[in-house]
Amino acid sequence: MQGRTAVVLGGSVAGLCTAGVLAGHFDEVIVLERDLLPADAEHRRGVPQSKHPHFLLNSGRRAIGEIFPGFEESLIAAGGMKLMPSMDAAYCEDDGWAPRKSGSMTMVYSSRVLIERVIRDKVRAVQNIEVREGITVTGLRSHDGGTTHGRVEGVELRTAEGEEQYVAADLVVDCQGRGSSAIDWLAAAGWTAPEENTLDAKVTYTSRWYDLPPVDERPASWWWKHLVITPTQDTGDHPEEHEFLSNFFPIEGDRAIVCMGSWGIEMPRKVDTFEASVDRVRATAFGDAMRACTPTSEVHLTRSTGNKWRRFDLLDVPPIGLLTIGDSICAFNPFYAQGMSSAARSALILKEMLASGQALDLAFHEDFLARQKESLDVPWMLAMARDQAYDFATGTETVAPWRRKLVARFSWPIFNAINAASREDPYVEQSFAEVFNLDKSLKQMMRDPRFWFGIVRYRIREKLGRTVVPAGFDQRQDPPGTDWSDPANPVEHAGSTSAPTGALQ
């Protein structure tokens, strides 16, 4: 055992995963959560983003499964759906609907609230984890702040009844999210505040929840479970909704979240303007799908989407006795679905380090921060690769105008080229899936000559008319359901309205 007591600040995904890790190395683990946690999969005040779609990337899925064995099976048993996006999702790219075919990547689809409920159930089964609800953390108690001997000793708190208390701890882990006050408490105790890397691309997204129609009443063309419409690259006049990244996102209980988001555009927040915007999204199937469903919520809008990395790894003297995991240290633009998985990956790093039996001294904290930095570099680079393209973006990570123009000009075309090559080159498909799921860095992929060979070869074949999987199906029609997994023997879906060769644009 590394100590008697560990305290986790926050009972969301990051906090629960961290508690699961700590339970194997401390006599008691105390989770302090401000909200009263629901027994079932319900929204709560401390997680307003739960009303929007959440992807659990494969690296995060595996990390949570390593912390809580059986997590994926429990999530599926509770209603989560294990799907293959290339077969079960319809993607509308710049030139129209992409072809449907099998791929290497699977995902488990569910709501954020179900993911949390399943993890909470796992935590509640661990005898030495205590979750205290209705708790407001008011400060950290420490000594010798800012020196090599400085250490966080415990947590000051206030109960729901207003009683002030103190909990001594051998280790405190801050998982309070974007709004964490830990830096202020540390600064007041003598530590230097860490630098912050920031980039806010003014992303706003808006969502509404729907019940799907009964299975026997759904259109025959609904082979898909998930609809994705990417922003247009047309530089001419078009409705601003063509700039949206739009999702018809399936969740448990025969429900879906209709979500639209954009960079720098004011998004609808009322029912009438939301529905009108859905109908102006460039793929007509998106509006048709919404109207076939029954709304069950109001419209939910979120603007708190900036990227922020608090660089504890750059401190000359990090605070001993305190670690930071999740949005408390690195918050991402939610468009990229990296938050939960990045937090779980950090918790897994802590698990590996605690298993070594190393003392919780300065060397331990410096080593953890270095390894965490290496892990966070992967999603951070992906977020920067797109968000640096906008001239209205603000923060420390904005780039020179010439570089911004290059990113704006080529990021979506490169993304489309990768997707196109992936249809006929398993190596390209696997490489991109690894980057998307945070198993490989963007830098590694960009330096891979075999990857670029696959892109160039596909483009040459395309120019010569020698590609074998058709693409660019008319976005004004339903997504074609033909399965092109074997291009020599395509299998047409009974409900498809497009010819197997596609309505090429």
Side-chain angles (χ1 to χ4, degrees):
M1 289 290 177
Q2 255 86 359
R4 183 179 181 279
T5 303
V7 175
V8 179
L9 311 183
S12 192
V13 170
L16 295 173
C17 288
T18 301
V21 164
L22 296 172
H25 302 277
F26 290 83
D27 294 332
E28 62 173 351
V29 178
I30 301 171
V31 180
L32 303 178
E33 169 54 46
R34 181 178 57 186
D35 288 345
L36 298 178
L37 298 174
D40 210 340
E42 300 173 15
H43 299 295
R44 58 189 179 89
R45 182 181 178 184
V47 191
Q49 68 271 26
S50 67
K51 300 178 177 69
H52 303 287
H54 277 70
F55 287 97
L56 187 57
L57 303 179
N58 288 350
S59 60
R61 200 167 107 200
R62 291 195 306 272
I64 297 175
E66 189 166 336
I67 298 166
F68 298 109
F71 162 73
E72 182 174 321
E73 293 78 4
S74 296
L75 184 59
I76 293 171
M81 297 163 285
K82 188 173 185 178
L83 304 176
M84 180 184 290
S86 63
M87 280 293 287
D88 297 310
Y91 292 92
C92 188
E93 299 173 341
D94 184 52
D95 60 350
W97 293 110
R100 179 189 184 207
K101 67 187 298 290
S102 60
S104 64
M105 187 172 72
T106 62
M107 296 185 69
V108 178
Y109 287 78
S110 78
S111 65
R112 166 66 180 260
V113 292
L114 183 63
I115 292 170
E116 283 205 8
R117 195 218 79 190
V118 170
I119 299 177
R120 279 200 304 270
D121 289 347
K122 296 289 184 182
V123 167
R124 287 171 175 144
V126 181
Q127 291 186 348
N128 64 328
I129 298 179
E130 176 190 0
V131 180
R132 298 184 186 177
E133 304 174 30
I135 301 295
T136 300
V137 177
T138 57
L140 299 171
R141 194 173 294 182
S142 61
H143 66 77
D144 299 324
T147 73
T148 55
H149 303 291
R151 189 179 195 98
V152 172
E153 299 175 306
V155 178
E156 297 172 345
L157 62 90
R158 183 171 57 251
T159 68
E161 295 74 28
E163 182 183 354
E164 303 289 340
Q165 295 182 359
Y166 169 70
V167 179
D170 299 292
L171 181 65
V172 177
V173 184
D174 177 21
C175 302
Q176 296 177 102
R178 287 177 180 265
S180 172
S181 298
I183 287 179
D184 297 330
W185 299 331
L186 291 170
W191 276 280
T192 302
E195 296 178 20
E196 292 186 352
N197 294 351
T198 60
L199 185 67
D200 187 352
K202 313 305 182 204
V203 165
T204 306
Y205 56 112
T206 184
S207 299
R208 196 181 190 198
W209 289 42
Y210 290 81
D211 282 340
L212 300 178
V215 174
D216 58 358
E217 296 179 14
R218 295 174 194 173
S221 60
W222 278 27
W223 57 265
W224 47 265
K225 301 289 192 301
H226 181 197
L227 286 177
V228 183
I229 296 87
T230 62
T232 183
Q233 290 151 47
D234 178 15
T235 57
D237 292 336
H238 54 258
E240 65 180 8
E241 284 83 3
H242 288 198
E243 304 282 345
F244 292 178
L245 177 59
S246 304
N247 273 274
F248 187 96
F249 186 84
I251 60 172
E252 68 280 356
D254 272 341
R255 296 177 294 170
I257 305 174
V258 175
C259 177
M260 300 175 291
S262 71
W263 290 262
I265 300 175
E266 187 67 26
M267 300 299 293
R269 60 188 312 157
K270 301 294 184 182
V271 168
D272 56 346
T273 54
F274 181 89
E275 292 180 344
S277 286
V278 169
D279 276 330
R280 287 193 291 268
V281 168
R282 63 189 181 92
T284 55
F286 193 68
D288 294 341
M290 178 199 70
R291 285 190 299 277
C293 300
T294 303
T296 60
S297 77
E298 295 302 312
V299 175
H300 309 290
L301 184 140
T302 291
R303 289 194 181 92
S304 181
T305 59
N307 303 282
K308 178 185 288 189
W309 188 354
R310 293 166 170 145
R311 300 301 301 271
F312 281 91
D313 60 294
L314 299 179
L315 290 176
D316 291 333
V317 183
I320 302 173
L322 177 73
L323 299 175
T324 308
I325 287 177
D327 284 1
S328 296
I329 188 168
C330 195
F332 301 94
N333 176 351
F335 264 5
Y336 307 125
Q338 299 165 327
M340 293 188 296
S341 296
S342 296
R345 283 157 53 92
S346 287
L348 199 57
I349 291 171
L350 179 58
K351 182 177 188 290
E352 293 167 355
M353 291 187 61
L354 290 172
S356 71
Q358 184 179 350
L360 300 177
D361 54 12
L362 180 60
F364 177 95
H365 288 71
E366 290 177 335
D367 189 17
F368 173 81
L369 289 169
R371 294 180 61 179
Q372 185 183 44
K373 184 264 181 188
E374 184 178 350
S375 177
L376 292 174
D377 269 337
V378 177
W380 185 261
M381 186 179 296
L382 279 174
M384 296 300 102
R386 181 60 200 170
D387 284 358
Q388 287 176 335
Y390 299 96
D391 56 9
F392 48 75
T394 58
T396 65
E397 304 307 294
T398 55
V399 294
W402 66 268
R403 184 175 171 185
R404 185 176 63 240
K405 290 178 181 178
L406 283 177
V407 175
R409 173 68 180 83
F410 292 110
S411 57
W412 277 114
I414 289 174
F415 175 78
N416 289 334
I418 293 171
N419 277 343
S422 295
R423 299 167 196 148
E424 301 188 14
D425 190 325
Y427 187 89
V428 173
E429 190 266 341
Q430 178 67 34
S431 295
F432 183 66
E434 289 173 349
V435 171
F436 178 80
N437 285 288
L438 310 184
D439 290 319
K440 178 188 286 187
S441 73
L442 181 62
K443 184 181 296 184
Q444 287 176 295
M445 185 179 77
M446 300 297 279
R447 292 178 175 176
D448 182 355
R450 172 61 182 85
F451 172 80
W452 286 110
F453 170 77
I455 301 293
V456 172
R457 181 176 61 179
Y458 179 84
R459 283 305 185 194
I460 292 173
R461 287 177 175 174
E462 188 178 43
K463 293 292 185 183
L464 297 175
R466 295 180 180 176
T467 57
V468 296
V469 179
F473 295 90
D474 192 347
Q475 65 194 24
R476 296 164 297 182
Q477 298 185 22
D478 288 325
T482 302
D483 177 4
W484 289 92
S485 300
D486 179 1
N489 299 286
V491 179
E492 187 170 358
H493 184 267
S496 293
T497 57
S498 299
T501 54
L504 295 175
Q505 295 182 293

